Amino acid sequence: MDRGAVQTASGDKRRSDVPKRAPIQSGLPAYLNIVNTISDRISSGLYPAGSRLPSESQFCHEFAVSPMTLRRALLILADRGLITAEKGRGTFVRSLGLSDSVFTLQQLTGEWANGTTQVRLLSAATAKADAQVAAVLDIPPGERVVYLRRLLLKNDTPAVYQTEYVIFDPRRPLVESQLKLTSLHGLFQSARGERFSRGEVTLSAISLDPETARILDEPPAAPALCLEHIFRDSTGHAVSWGRFLLRSDLFKLKARLGP
Amino acid sequence: MDRGAVQTASGDKRRSDVPKRAPIQSGLPAYLNIVNTISDRISSGLYPAGSRLPSESQFCHEFAVSPMTLRRALLILADRGLITAEKGRGTFVRSLGLSDSVFTLQQLTGEWANGTTQVRLLSAATAKADAQVAAVLDIPPGERVVYLRRLLLKNDTPAVYQTEYVIFDPRRPLVESQLKLTSLHGLFQSARGERFSRGEVTLSAISLDPETARILDEPPAAPALCLEHIFRDSTGHAVSWGRFLLRSDLFKLKARLGP
DNA sequence: CAGTGGTCTAGACCACATG
DNA sequence: ATGTGGTCTAGACCACTGC
């Protein structure tokens, strides 16, 4: 390409005499086309697992793009776990394993955040933190906390039982906004009055205690997914601690492996 | 910067008269420094949730990098869910919610893939596929399949019970390599003889049946995490179907929210 | 040493949103 | 019309690997 002409600093708009970029398939950006093409070649077996990909400069020639664009595509593929790049050696096709599974809670809210769900506040009261709550929230035992219990229903079927302890802060009326939460979206998406910036979430399997089983309309000791969460404010202090108990027959987390 | 001089096509190496890039803090690449800086500003509240970030050109000035480098940093932050970019409007700080949690199985193998774990093959036999197996693997009922049962122990404590049905293909001696799997790493990382390229994984909570409970040394009907998997070859045909039952007291999935 | 990936530049054009 | 993010170029230097 002989277009190494000096480009004057002022806006030199005469580009019509310069060949435009290669036509983009189906309107997608070039880097996405490259991602799809290489991805297809991997899944079709053209680039077998463990093999070395053509070098970046080879790809640049083939796709007629600049190194940065090609590199962007490779970074995306690496991010998806399909390839790994090793400095000085080359880029290789990864063979996927179980441990590459990635589970998201988006799916849950995706299926559940429609109109047929409702949130029922079972109780809301202030209480004094017992030893366990105090330890998790990092406050002195006996400090006042707000104890919330909610039940989420889908088509009038109990599906999720939530309990939560929120630090009581008179300066910040968290409670009021918390109590008004009657939509599932609010609970999951940007709950906590969008004040927290950090958090930890733990997923495990538990056995329902008799009372919870009754509330969820399940047999005693039925299995359930337990989603325990701690939210923290910008200073790192815990703001709330609680857990969602998800009926095991209604909630599954799904992940896909590969291209 | 007055270095708009024509760069001749031949390798013009005289760059010593040109100011080198700004010194990189702590040896990190520039884009990572930018990621960390902006991330810190978000978590410190300097850029509050929902607010608009400075424009890209402003950031370019502040960090003294080219647009591509700045953009790379923003893409990473967007990928982490901390910000969202809206074309023509600006880039905004996202407020995180529960549904942004991402769980990975890497943690599991990370903690478990050390020397003190062992894999014990309980049984391996060919059998005829019953209706359910045939349906999942998409083969005619009665077709021969390999039925595997494995027990994973950690410090001599039963931790995981796996059952798996593998399509019997005499042309491809999958079974032999399968049977030799005695390391946890092999089971999770690139198992399946690194032949499959696709798969689906489902995570749910179940209650252990009496026999499995006995094998796992748990009380009957104890809760457990169930990891069901289907692996497919490059043509999309199912190759194996099975599930891992993880003792609930030993396995939890953890996710972090925020910077 | 040559080849590879990792990073970066200093611009450019485009599509889009807003006033 | 202006400013924004989205994409792209045609090179460059560096660190690393392997022969």
Side-chain angles (χ1 to χ4, degrees):
Chain A
M1 293 234 185
D2 144 35
R3 60 181 274 204
V6 185
Q7 300 212 2
T8 61
S10 61
D12 178 355
K13 291 269 174 61
R14 51 161 178 74
R15 300 268 265 146
S16 49
D17 57 341
V18 147
K20 284 300 191 183
R21 79 177 61 102
I24 293 175
Q25 273 186 19
S26 69
L28 281 177
Y31 73 94
L32 280 184
N33 273 309
I34 299 175
V35 165
N36 291 335
T37 302
I38 298 181
S39 185
D40 287 347
R41 291 180 186 174
I42 290 176
S43 63
S44 77
L46 207 161
Y47 297 150
S51 67
R52 221 196 67 174
L53 290 183
S55 77
E56 302 192 351
S57 62
Q58 283 177 282
F59 270 142
C60 285
H61 269 99
E62 173 181 349
F63 296 115
V65 295
S66 75
M68 279 297 280
T69 303
L70 188 276
R71 169 144 284 271
R72 183 171 181 182
L74 292 187
L75 282 174
I76 291 175
L77 287 169
D79 202 66
R80 294 187 187 173
L82 289 182
I83 65 176
T84 52
E86 297 179 31
K87 190 191 292 187
R89 292 188 3 101
T91 307
F92 301 85
V93 181
R94 284 215 327 160
S95 56
L96 295 179
L98 251 195
S99 56
D100 295 302
S101 310
V102 172
F103 299 94
T104 308
L105 295 187
Q106 301 275 14
Q107 325 147 2
L108 289 187
T109 54
E111 296 176 16
W112 285 76
N114 49 41
T116 64
T117 56
Q118 49 172 314
V119 179
R120 183 179 300 168
L121 184 64
L122 297 185
S123 74
T126 62
K128 301 198 175 199
D130 63 23
Q132 190 187 16
V133 173
V136 174
L137 292 181
D138 195 26
I139 55 177
E143 191 104 339
R144 296 185 76 80
V145 294
V146 181
Y147 178 48
L148 300 172
R149 289 164 62 239
R150 288 195 189 85
L151 185 63
L152 282 67
L153 301 99
K154 167 79 170 182
N155 297 331
D156 297 320
T157 303
V160 181
Y161 175 67
Q162 183 209 8
T163 60
E164 184 178 19
Y165 297 90
V166 185
I167 286 190
F168 183 71
D169 185 349
R171 295 168 305 175
R172 200 176 7 164
L174 263 180
V175 184
E176 296 178 16
S177 60
Q178 296 274 308
L179 295 185
K180 286 175 187 161
L181 279 179
T182 54
S183 77
L184 181 59
H185 183 73
L187 259 186
F188 271 76
Q189 190 48 45
S190 60
R192 314 289 85 70
E194 15 192 357
R195 294 301 284 261
F196 78 91
S197 60
R198 275 189 270 276
E200 295 111 50
V201 187
T202 304
L203 188 69
S204 61
I206 62 145
S207 191
L208 293 178
D209 65 73
E211 187 198 340
T212 308
R214 188 181 49 75
I215 294 176
L216 283 176
D217 199 16
E218 284 264 275
L225 279 179
C226 172
L227 198 65
E228 181 180 347
H229 62 274
I230 298 177
F231 292 130
R232 307 178 183 280
D233 61 20
S234 58
T235 68
H237 288 86
V239 170
S240 85
W241 170 54
R243 50 192 219 170
F244 293 81
L245 300 182
L246 317 175
R247 266 179 61 163
S248 62
D249 54 342
L250 298 176
F251 290 96
K252 295 182 193 311
L253 289 174
K254 293 180 183 176
R256 264 186 219 156
L257 282 176
Chain B
M1 293 225 187
D2 146 34
R3 64 180 273 206
V6 185
Q7 302 210 1
T8 61
S10 62
D12 178 355
K13 290 269 174 61
R14 52 162 174 74
R15 300 268 265 144
S16 48
D17 58 341
V18 148
K20 284 299 190 185
R21 80 176 60 100
I24 293 176
Q25 272 186 19
S26 70
L28 281 177
Y31 73 94
L32 280 184
N33 273 308
I34 299 175
V35 165
N36 291 335
T37 302
I38 297 181
S39 186
D40 288 346
R41 290 181 187 173
I42 290 176
S43 63
S44 77
L46 206 160
Y47 297 151
S51 67
R52 222 195 68 175
L53 290 182
S55 76
E56 301 193 351
S57 62
Q58 284 178 280
F59 271 141
C60 286
H61 270 97
E62 172 181 350
F63 296 114
V65 296
S66 75
M68 278 297 280
T69 303
L70 188 275
R71 170 144 285 271
R72 183 172 180 179
L74 292 187
L75 282 175
I76 290 176
L77 287 169
D79 203 64
R80 295 187 186 172
L82 289 183
I83 63 176
T84 52
E86 297 179 29
K87 190 191 297 185
R89 295 192 356 106
T91 307
F92 301 85
V93 180
R94 284 212 334 156
S95 58
L96 295 178
L98 249 196
S99 55
D100 295 303
S101 310
V102 172
F103 298 95
T104 309
L105 295 186
Q106 302 274 15
Q107 326 146 3
L108 288 187
T109 56
E111 297 175 17
W112 286 76
N114 51 41
T116 63
T117 56
Q118 51 172 312
V119 179
R120 184 180 299 168
L121 185 63
L122 297 184
S123 74
T126 60
K128 301 199 175 196
D130 63 23
Q132 190 188 14
V133 174
V136 174
L137 292 181
D138 195 26
I139 55 177
E143 193 105 338
R144 296 184 76 80
V145 294
V146 181
Y147 177 49
L148 300 172
R149 288 164 61 240
R150 288 195 189 85
L151 185 63
L152 282 67
L153 301 98
K154 167 79 170 182
N155 297 329
D156 297 319
T157 303
V160 181
Y161 175 66
Q162 183 207 10
T163 58
E164 184 178 19
Y165 297 89
V166 185
I167 286 188
F168 182 73
D169 185 348
R171 297 167 306 175
R172 201 175 6 163
L174 263 180
V175 185
E176 297 179 16
S177 59
Q178 296 275 306
L179 295 185
K180 286 175 188 159
L181 279 179
T182 55
S183 76
L184 180 59
H185 183 74
L187 259 186
F188 273 75
Q189 190 48 46
S190 60
R192 315 290 86 70
E194 18 192 359
R195 296 299 285 261
F196 78 92
S197 60
R198 276 188 271 275
E200 297 111 50
V201 188
T202 304
L203 187 69
S204 60
I206 62 145
S207 190
L208 293 178
D209 64 73
E211 187 198 339
T212 308
R214 187 181 49 76
I215 294 176
L216 283 176
D217 199 17
E218 283 264 276
L225 279 179
C226 172
L227 198 65
E228 182 180 346
H229 62 273
I230 299 177
F231 292 130
R232 307 177 183 281
D233 61 19
S234 58
T235 67
H237 287 87
V239 169
S240 85
W241 170 55
R243 50 191 218 170
F244 293 82
L245 301 182
L246 318 175
R247 265 179 61 163
S248 62
D249 54 342
L250 298 177
F251 290 96
K252 295 182 193 312
L253 289 174
K254 293 181 183 175
R256 267 187 217 151
L257 282 177

